[in-house]
Amino acid sequence: MFITFEGIDGSGKSTQIKLLADALEVDGRDVVRTREPGGSDGAEAIRRLLVEGDPGRWSAETEILLFTAARRDHLERLIEPSLADGKIVLSDRFADSTRIYQGAARGELRDIVDRLHALMIKREPDLTIVIDMDPDAALARGLARGSGEDRFEEFGAAFQHKLRAGFQALAKAEPDRVKLVDGDRDVEAVAADILAIVKAHLP
Ligand code: TMP
């Protein structure tokens, strides 16, 4: 089973993925935790080009190519082999991030994103959890981390509001696959909701 986590910057995805992985492992499941951009050596190298530096470093079109190249490597080297071994793969972001960050929030490029996905990636997650939360609170959290990986946070609050709306629209368009979870609550309450959704989807 391939499960992805999506949401705006600072929405608490990595904390929630760790809690979910721990809960599934207690249940005796074999879990692989990974992230995008990244998750394989080549994709991690591409990640540094994307998340560091000046916001104007790449156009949205160039970003689509770089994110897709990183995703293809991640898919070939980690995701597909892990799924073939019967593992549960939990990925911090996947193709929905490109659909929203590059396809919707920075111009009308969704058609290009979809065509490239159909050509080079093809795979969709079995389940996608979107952690929905207030962009102002999330942005403060993201920049406060001071990770040096804040190129997308630097686009500012209005961009994060557009992203949130994009993820909400995605959940509406694909209600079977994409589940919205209210992230403006304490960590344990969010984790309990996510675990219930995932358990309902596990074979
Ligand atoms: P992260 O901070 O969640 O690790 O993600 C890195 C940044 O890259 C984040 O700001 C979202 C952005 N991103 C895209 O713009 N498009 C994509 O396809 C992916 C996977 C991430």
Side-chain angles (χ1 to χ4, degrees):
M1 186 163 185
F2 181 32
I3 304 174
T4 60
F5 280 68
E6 299 282 359
I8 60 174
D9 295 283
S11 55
K13 292 176 282 91
S14 51
T15 304
Q16 291 299 333
I17 289 177
K18 177 153 191 343
L19 292 172
L20 177 64
D22 290 349
L24 293 173
E25 279 166 358
V26 166
D27 255 11
R29 309 267 184 177
D30 209 348
V31 179
V32 174
R33 271 199 283 153
T34 187
R35 68 167 182 183
E36 287 209 349
S40 60
D41 290 347
E44 289 289 336
I46 297 172
R47 175 186 179 93
R48 289 191 285 279
L49 297 174
L50 282 160
V51 300
E52 296 173 8
D54 191 70
R57 184 176 185 185
W58 309 110
S59 69
E61 287 84 349
T62 310
E63 279 174 14
I64 293 170
L65 293 168
L66 289 169
F67 278 114
T68 306
R71 182 161 305 127
R72 174 74 195 206
D73 193 64
H74 185 207
L75 199 64
E76 286 176 5
R77 289 170 200 259
L78 182 76
I79 299 174
E80 300 282 11
S82 302
L83 293 172
D85 280 350
K87 294 176 181 159
I88 297 178
V89 176
L90 305 181
S91 184
D92 187 337
R93 301 194 182 280
F94 189 67
D96 294 317
S97 279
T98 315
R99 292 181 179 122
I100 305 305
Y101 277 75
Q102 284 70 42
R106 295 178 65 197
E108 287 303 317
L109 299 175
R110 180 62 190 268
D111 183 48
I112 292 176
V113 171
D114 288 346
R115 281 155 68 188
L116 201 55
H117 180 85
L119 206 59
M120 298 311 302
I121 307 296
K122 297 184 177 81
R123 183 178 278 278
E124 291 300 337
D126 299 300
L127 177 67
T128 297
I129 305 285
V130 171
I131 303 182
D132 178 61
M133 73 174 288
D134 171 37
D136 300 317
L139 194 63
R141 193 150 86 186
L143 288 173
R145 275 196 308 236
S147 63
E149 291 194 332
D150 45 15
R151 188 173 154 252
F152 286 91
E153 277 106 322
E154 299 283 349
F155 280 104
F159 181 62
Q160 298 292 329
H161 282 271
K162 264 193 190 169
L163 295 172
R164 183 189 201 184
F167 283 118
Q168 288 173 340
L170 194 77
K172 243 193 194 141
E174 289 188 66
D176 292 338
R177 174 176 72 87
V178 184
K179 308 292 180 191
L180 218 61
V181 172
D182 175 6
D184 283 313
R185 295 173 299 157
D186 62 62
V187 169
E188 292 75 22
V190 177
D193 274 11
I194 292 172
L195 186 60
I197 293 169
V198 169
K199 284 198 163 167
H201 277 77
L202 285 174

